PDB file of all heavy atoms in Angstrom:
ATOM      1  N   TRP A 115      10.715  -7.436   7.464  1.00  0.00           N
ATOM      2  CA  TRP A 115      10.745  -7.319   6.010  1.00  0.00           C
ATOM      3  C   TRP A 115       9.507  -6.634   5.434  1.00  0.00           C
ATOM      4  O   TRP A 115       9.156  -6.817   4.279  1.00  0.00           O
ATOM      5  CB  TRP A 115      11.017  -8.669   5.328  1.00  0.00           C
ATOM      6  CG  TRP A 115      12.406  -9.101   5.616  1.00  0.00           C
ATOM      7  CD1 TRP A 115      12.788 -10.128   6.431  1.00  0.00           C
ATOM      8  CD2 TRP A 115      13.609  -8.490   5.175  1.00  0.00           C
ATOM      9  NE1 TRP A 115      14.166 -10.186   6.514  1.00  0.00           N
ATOM     10  CE2 TRP A 115      14.699  -9.190   5.743  1.00  0.00           C
ATOM     11  CE3 TRP A 115      13.899  -7.399   4.358  1.00  0.00           C
ATOM     12  CZ2 TRP A 115      16.026  -8.841   5.511  1.00  0.00           C
ATOM     13  CZ3 TRP A 115      15.216  -7.059   4.127  1.00  0.00           C
ATOM     14  CH2 TRP A 115      16.262  -7.777   4.702  1.00  0.00           C
ATOM     15  N   VAL A 116       8.901  -5.769   6.245  1.00  0.00           N
ATOM     16  CA  VAL A 116       7.833  -4.894   5.771  1.00  0.00           C
ATOM     17  C   VAL A 116       8.369  -3.466   5.851  1.00  0.00           C
ATOM     18  O   VAL A 116       8.944  -3.065   6.862  1.00  0.00           O
ATOM     19  CB  VAL A 116       6.551  -5.043   6.614  1.00  0.00           C
ATOM     20  CG1 VAL A 116       5.499  -4.021   6.193  1.00  0.00           C
ATOM     21  CG2 VAL A 116       6.002  -6.464   6.496  1.00  0.00           C
ATOM     22  N   SER A 117       8.173  -2.704   4.776  1.00  0.00           N
ATOM     23  CA  SER A 117       8.688  -1.339   4.719  1.00  0.00           C
ATOM     24  C   SER A 117       7.721  -0.355   5.364  1.00  0.00           C
ATOM     25  O   SER A 117       6.495  -0.520   5.284  1.00  0.00           O
ATOM     26  CB  SER A 117       8.960  -0.934   3.270  1.00  0.00           C
ATOM     27  OG  SER A 117       7.748  -0.861   2.533  1.00  0.00           O
ATOM     28  N   PHE A 118       8.305   0.670   5.989  1.00  0.00           N
ATOM     29  CA  PHE A 118       7.552   1.762   6.584  1.00  0.00           C
ATOM     30  C   PHE A 118       8.218   3.072   6.175  1.00  0.00           C
ATOM     31  O   PHE A 118       9.366   3.093   5.786  1.00  0.00           O
ATOM     32  CB  PHE A 118       7.544   1.652   8.116  1.00  0.00           C
ATOM     33  CG  PHE A 118       6.828   0.434   8.620  1.00  0.00           C
ATOM     34  CD1 PHE A 118       7.511  -0.757   8.786  1.00  0.00           C
ATOM     35  CD2 PHE A 118       5.471   0.477   8.913  1.00  0.00           C
ATOM     36  CE1 PHE A 118       6.872  -1.885   9.248  1.00  0.00           C
ATOM     37  CE2 PHE A 118       4.819  -0.652   9.370  1.00  0.00           C
ATOM     38  CZ  PHE A 118       5.515  -1.833   9.545  1.00  0.00           C
ATOM     39  N   HIS A 119       7.498   4.159   6.334  1.00  0.00           N
ATOM     40  CA  HIS A 119       7.939   5.502   5.967  1.00  0.00           C
ATOM     41  C   HIS A 119       8.126   5.547   4.449  1.00  0.00           C
ATOM     42  O   HIS A 119       7.417   4.851   3.738  1.00  0.00           O
ATOM     43  CB  HIS A 119       9.172   5.917   6.756  1.00  0.00           C
ATOM     44  CG  HIS A 119       8.922   5.932   8.235  1.00  0.00           C
ATOM     45  ND1 HIS A 119       8.278   6.961   8.877  1.00  0.00           N
ATOM     46  CD2 HIS A 119       9.210   5.017   9.191  1.00  0.00           C
ATOM     47  CE1 HIS A 119       8.186   6.692  10.163  1.00  0.00           C
ATOM     48  NE2 HIS A 119       8.745   5.515  10.391  1.00  0.00           N
ATOM     49  N   GLY A 120       9.023   6.351   3.915  1.00  0.00           N
ATOM     50  CA  GLY A 120       9.129   6.403   2.460  1.00  0.00           C
ATOM     51  C   GLY A 120       9.857   7.609   1.933  1.00  0.00           C
ATOM     52  O   GLY A 120      11.023   7.831   2.236  1.00  0.00           O
ATOM     53  N   ILE A 121       9.127   8.425   1.134  1.00  0.00           N
ATOM     54  CA  ILE A 121       9.757   9.529   0.413  1.00  0.00           C
ATOM     55  C   ILE A 121       8.977  10.823   0.638  1.00  0.00           C
ATOM     56  O   ILE A 121       7.795  10.794   0.987  1.00  0.00           O
ATOM     57  CB  ILE A 121       9.854   9.240  -1.103  1.00  0.00           C
ATOM     58  CG1 ILE A 121       8.466   9.027  -1.706  1.00  0.00           C
ATOM     59  CG2 ILE A 121      10.735   8.032  -1.354  1.00  0.00           C
ATOM     60  CD1 ILE A 121       8.467   8.834  -3.210  1.00  0.00           C
ATOM     61  N   ALA A 122       9.654  11.931   0.426  1.00  0.00           N
ATOM     62  CA  ALA A 122       9.028  13.253   0.467  1.00  0.00           C
ATOM     63  C   ALA A 122       9.549  14.046  -0.724  1.00  0.00           C
ATOM     64  O   ALA A 122      10.765  14.199  -0.888  1.00  0.00           O
ATOM     65  CB  ALA A 122       9.351  13.965   1.770  1.00  0.00           C
ATOM     66  N   ILE A 123       8.629  14.520  -1.552  1.00  0.00           N
ATOM     67  CA  ILE A 123       8.996  15.274  -2.750  1.00  0.00           C
ATOM     68  C   ILE A 123       8.507  16.708  -2.586  1.00  0.00           C
ATOM     69  O   ILE A 123       7.329  16.948  -2.303  1.00  0.00           O
ATOM     70  CB  ILE A 123       8.382  14.639  -4.017  1.00  0.00           C
ATOM     71  CG1 ILE A 123       8.813  13.170  -4.137  1.00  0.00           C
ATOM     72  CG2 ILE A 123       8.777  15.434  -5.254  1.00  0.00           C
ATOM     73  CD1 ILE A 123       8.085  12.399  -5.211  1.00  0.00           C
ATOM     74  N   ASN A 124       9.411  17.641  -2.784  1.00  0.00           N
ATOM     75  CA  ASN A 124       9.075  19.057  -2.644  1.00  0.00           C
ATOM     76  C   ASN A 124       8.423  19.576  -3.915  1.00  0.00           C
ATOM     77  O   ASN A 124       9.087  19.732  -4.937  1.00  0.00           O
ATOM     78  CB  ASN A 124      10.329  19.873  -2.325  1.00  0.00           C
ATOM     79  CG  ASN A 124      10.924  19.495  -0.995  1.00  0.00           C
ATOM     80  OD1 ASN A 124      10.218  19.133  -0.068  1.00  0.00           O
ATOM     81  ND2 ASN A 124      12.240  19.581  -0.914  1.00  0.00           N
ATOM     82  N   VAL A 125       7.131  19.825  -3.834  1.00  0.00           N
ATOM     83  CA  VAL A 125       6.392  20.403  -4.955  1.00  0.00           C
ATOM     84  C   VAL A 125       6.450  21.927  -4.844  1.00  0.00           C
ATOM     85  O   VAL A 125       6.995  22.603  -5.702  1.00  0.00           O
ATOM     86  CB  VAL A 125       4.932  19.903  -4.989  1.00  0.00           C
ATOM     87  CG1 VAL A 125       4.163  20.563  -6.130  1.00  0.00           C
ATOM     88  CG2 VAL A 125       4.889  18.387  -5.140  1.00  0.00           C
ATOM     89  N   GLU A 126       5.889  22.475  -3.766  1.00  0.00           N
ATOM     90  CA  GLU A 126       5.905  23.920  -3.556  1.00  0.00           C
ATOM     91  C   GLU A 126       5.848  24.255  -2.062  1.00  0.00           C
ATOM     92  O   GLU A 126       5.007  25.028  -1.622  1.00  0.00           O
ATOM     93  CB  GLU A 126       4.727  24.578  -4.280  1.00  0.00           C
ATOM     94  CG  GLU A 126       4.787  26.071  -4.306  1.00  0.00           C
ATOM     95  CD  GLU A 126       3.643  26.728  -5.073  1.00  0.00           C
ATOM     96  OE1 GLU A 126       2.683  26.055  -5.462  1.00  0.00           O
ATOM     97  OE2 GLU A 126       3.742  27.946  -5.296  1.00  0.00           O
ATOM     98  N   PRO A 127       6.739  23.678  -1.256  1.00  0.00           N
ATOM     99  CA  PRO A 127       6.743  24.068   0.154  1.00  0.00           C
ATOM    100  C   PRO A 127       7.436  25.413   0.323  1.00  0.00           C
ATOM    101  O   PRO A 127       8.145  25.877  -0.576  1.00  0.00           O
ATOM    102  CB  PRO A 127       7.568  22.955   0.816  1.00  0.00           C
ATOM    103  CG  PRO A 127       8.551  22.581  -0.244  1.00  0.00           C
ATOM    104  CD  PRO A 127       7.774  22.687  -1.548  1.00  0.00           C
TER     105      PRO A 127
END
Side-chain angles (χ1 to χ4, degrees):
W115 292 109
V116 174
S117 66
F118 295 89
H119 300 280
I121 60 176
I123 303 170
N124 296 327
V125 178
E126 189 178 9

